Amino acid sequence: MKEKLQGILQAAKEQLAAAADPRALDEARVRYLGKKGELTALLKGMKDIAAEERPAVGQLINDVRSEIETAIEKQRAAIEQAALAHKLAAETIDVTLPGETLPIGKKHPLNIVLDELKEIFLGLGFSIAEGPEVELDHYNFEALNIPKDHPARDTQDTFYISDNVVLRTQTSPMQVRTMEKKKPPIRIIAPGRVYRSDAVDATHSPLFHQIEGLVVDKGIRMSDLKGILELFAKKLYGEDTVVRFRPHHFPFTEPSAEMDIQCYRCHGAGCPLCKGEGWIEILGCGMVHPKVLEMSGIDPEEYSGYAFGIGLERTVMGRFKIDDIRLFYENDVRFLEQF
């Protein structure tokens, strides 16, 4: 029995030493120590050995098992070390080679100018208000003095979700939402995306951005509105910026006006960008209509206010001398990386 055990031990050590990977190592383990292994078979045959010899034979078998288990662990460690050495050799990095430059993202030009606008108006004492892009008809139209039969609804080209829910056509609903929650004095801007069913061209898009402004207090006049907007234009475009105000009509302001800046391409001479007019409209404005104040719970006899809506895209076009609004949405890196 002793010679047989020595033979099993020697054969096991040779097979284990030759095992070059975990699979071969496991095959050797199963051959000798598995449920049907050679050493396990000897243990099962102990019942055929004389009782007085069993302790000595059992001890020999256990000693051989212990040596085989030690050899298995030793070979497993050697295999793991060899695998690690191979992996390190295969993945060697030459630290003297120059690294790959990863592109770093930048602010979109719309966000650059929007942040500038926020800083300008925050410096003038305004706060920032935000509201839903999917808006109730009441806030988008009716509370702004635009009832269902008003012709202004036809010119807005609205995206309707249902009879009473729309994609907001302007950020003006924030006027009403703010006045309902807060009493004067009020001084806010409300930036955000708005939607209109416009045909896409160099200066129009069905999705664009607007910054609504609202000031309500005692003694607010049209001259206050004009002064704040001229100051805004000069801070954004430079002290030599030329602006003009044209009489206009908005249902929610009275009197109303549109403010233009002189075309930054032709400087007033007329070109395709400004459609030969020499001016580019950037915002609409006016004194808040007394009816809008009243519907929002503010006494128009005691308070007055002004409102304005700035088109962010056209403002950015003037800021960076861009002549096509579509460039903002085409995701052309050659355009975006300039900023």
Side-chain angles (χ1 to χ4, degrees):
M1 176 62 74
K2 185 175 181 180
E3 289 78 8
K4 188 173 183 178
L5 286 171
Q6 288 296 325
I8 291 174
L9 178 59
Q10 184 63 32
K13 286 184 175 181
E14 290 176 359
Q15 185 172 350
L16 289 171
D21 54 58
R23 182 177 179 179
L25 185 67
D26 193 58
E27 287 176 354
R29 180 191 65 79
V30 171
R31 177 180 175 181
Y32 297 101
L33 303 183
K35 290 182 179 180
K36 297 180 181 181
E38 294 184 20
L39 206 60
T40 306
L42 290 179
L43 283 172
K44 290 180 179 178
M46 288 283 288
K47 62 181 184 296
D48 300 326
I49 298 176
E52 64 274 10
E53 296 180 7
R54 287 177 188 172
V57 173
Q59 183 63 46
L60 285 173
I61 294 174
N62 286 335
D63 290 344
V64 171
R65 169 182 284 274
S66 179
E67 284 194 53
I68 293 175
E69 288 175 345
T70 300
I72 289 172
E73 292 306 315
K74 182 178 179 180
Q75 188 64 15
R76 178 177 286 112
I79 291 172
E80 291 175 354
Q81 186 63 35
L84 178 60
H86 177 75
K87 184 176 181 181
L88 290 175
E91 297 179 358
T92 299
I93 299 174
D94 185 350
V95 295
T96 65
L97 290 174
E100 293 183 5
T101 302
L102 297 177
I104 299 175
K106 299 178 182 179
K107 281 186 179 180
H108 192 279
L110 291 176
N111 291 96
I112 292 172
V113 176
L114 178 58
D115 288 344
E116 291 182 10
L117 290 173
K118 288 179 180 178
E119 287 301 315
I120 290 171
F121 284 107
L122 287 172
L124 294 171
F126 287 72
S127 58
I128 298 174
E130 295 181 345
E133 294 178 20
V134 179
E135 186 59 275
L136 295 173
D137 181 276
H138 169 76
Y139 288 106
N140 197 75
F141 291 122
E142 294 188 19
L144 293 169
N145 199 30
I146 311 175
K148 290 189 182 296
D149 59 351
H150 199 286
R153 295 208 183 198
D154 297 332
T155 62
Q156 296 258 358
D157 292 326
T158 309
F159 290 106
Y160 279 88
I161 294 176
S162 69
D163 289 343
N164 294 312
V165 180
V166 302
L167 293 181
R168 66 181 180 186
T169 58
Q170 57 216 354
T171 52
S172 302
M174 285 309 298
Q175 288 187 36
V176 181
R177 289 184 175 275
T178 301
M179 289 189 288
E180 284 182 347
K181 295 177 181 178
K182 182 180 179 182
K183 297 308 175 185
I186 296 171
R187 187 180 289 259
I188 63 144
I189 58 169
R193 285 178 292 196
V194 298
Y195 307 84
R196 296 184 190 179
S197 185
D198 284 337
V200 178
D201 60 26
T203 56
H204 293 84
S205 169
L207 179 151
F208 56 102
H209 297 75
Q210 194 179 70
I211 300 97
E212 181 76 11
L214 174 69
V215 172
V216 179
D217 205 348
K218 294 179 180 179
I220 298 297
R221 298 168 296 182
M222 189 73 178
S223 58
D224 298 318
L225 170 62
K226 184 177 179 181
I228 204 81
L229 291 180
E230 285 185 342
L231 178 61
F232 144 74
K234 290 181 183 297
K235 279 184 173 291
L236 187 66
Y237 297 119
E239 290 298 323
D240 59 345
T241 302
V242 180
V243 303
R244 75 174 183 183
F245 291 84
R246 292 180 290 106
H248 197 69
H249 169 73
F250 297 111
F252 36 86
T253 54
E254 180 60 38
S256 305
E258 286 188 338
M259 190 179 90
D260 306 331
I261 60 170
Q262 196 173 72
C263 179
Y264 35 83
R265 175 187 279 182
C266 66
H267 304 289
C271 68
L273 177 61
C274 61
K275 298 178 181 178
E277 296 182 1
W279 300 85
I280 296 177
E281 171 201 341
I282 64 167
L283 63 87
C285 59
M287 300 299 292
V288 180
H289 198 293
K291 192 173 181 180
V292 174
L293 292 173
E294 189 174 3
M295 285 190 291
S296 301
I298 294 176
D299 184 0
E301 297 295 328
E302 184 178 1
Y303 294 99
S304 59
Y306 63 74
F308 54 86
I310 302 170
L312 179 60
E313 278 77 359
R314 293 186 183 182
T315 304
V316 178
M317 290 169 74
R319 175 73 168 75
F320 292 123
K321 308 299 184 290
I322 298 168
D323 59 8
D324 196 322
I325 195 173
R326 290 167 289 195
L327 292 169
F328 294 130
Y329 307 113
E330 291 176 345
N331 297 322
D332 190 330
V333 176
R334 293 171 300 176
F335 167 74
L336 297 174
E337 67 186 3
Q338 297 177 65
F339 306 96

